[in-house]
Amino acid sequence: MANNENNVAAEENLQVVAFKLRNEEYGVSILNVQEIRNLTDITRVPFAQDFIKGVINLRGSVLPVIDLKQRLGLEETPYTDDTRIVTVTIDDLHVGMLVDAVTEVLTLTAKPIDAKKAVNGKELTKFLSGIGNIDGRLIIMLNLEEIIGLPKEGK
């Protein structure tokens, strides 16, 4: 019986890679993160959407890179020594996301609050999956499927 209770508790824990965009802390599930890279040269792609910064060569593969601040409608800031490219995978799609700084890997022990309850407006919440609270720190959880623009099943 004790093993079953431990499994349930373990399932509720969610490991999150936390990072900064401007002055706010955001997070994505560690299960989606492939690697965290230093900023490297990004090759612009003509006619790409504005939030797509371009592509990088990742061990012989072409990896699209999106500017997460621009995708979320946040004001741009200059790149610094702390700027990173967080490589994420959704289904079979690999994408790099530009972030201001990666802070740490955190464990959310409670289910994140539904973003729709915290923010009023459907358009504002489509990129958010919830808001986690760790010792008074709020971590805005991102909905990677919407950010990357994956088509919804059944549409």
Side-chain angles (χ1 to χ4, degrees):
M1 185 78 152
N3 274 348
N4 198 15
E5 289 172 8
N6 288 340
N7 288 343
V8 170
E11 287 173 18
E12 291 175 7
N13 290 343
L14 173 65
Q15 285 200 302
V16 172
V17 174
F19 50 86
K20 291 270 192 182
L21 295 176
R22 298 191 54 79
N23 296 323
E24 301 295 329
E25 207 165 7
Y26 293 80
V28 294
S29 169
I30 198 168
L31 299 176
N32 296 111
V33 176
Q34 291 300 120
E35 68 180 298
I36 298 164
R37 302 178 51 89
N38 288 332
L39 187 59
T40 185
D41 288 335
I42 299 172
T43 304
R44 288 285 301 154
V45 177
F47 309 110
Q49 291 177 297
D50 289 343
F51 65 89
I52 298 176
K53 275 296 186 205
V55 294
I56 61 172
N57 181 345
L58 184 66
R59 291 183 290 284
S61 296
V62 175
L63 181 77
V65 177
I66 64 173
D67 186 322
L68 203 47
K69 284 185 287 202
Q70 195 167 4
R71 182 69 169 139
L72 297 175
L74 302 173
E75 188 178 325
E76 289 193 47
T77 54
Y79 300 142
T80 68
D81 290 339
D82 292 330
T83 302
R84 296 289 182 264
I85 298 174
V86 178
T87 305
V88 295
T89 302
I90 299 287
D91 295 333
D92 290 333
L93 188 62
H94 304 284
V95 174
M97 300 186 309
L98 279 170
V99 301
D100 290 337
V102 173
T103 50
E104 61 187 309
V105 175
L106 302 168
T107 302
L108 292 177
T109 54
K111 189 171 190 225
I113 300 165
D114 185 357
K116 290 174 183 64
K117 294 178 182 171
V119 181
N120 195 5
K122 184 178 182 199
E123 196 59 34
L124 292 173
T125 60
K126 76 177 185 175
F127 295 133
L128 310 179
S129 64
I131 299 175
N133 184 347
I134 299 175
D135 300 326
R137 285 170 58 192
L138 295 180
I139 310 293
I140 302 166
M141 298 299 298
L142 297 178
N143 179 348
L144 289 176
E145 287 86 357
E146 284 290 341
I147 288 171
I148 293 172
L150 284 180
K152 297 244 190 304
E153 294 294 322
K155 281 194 175 178

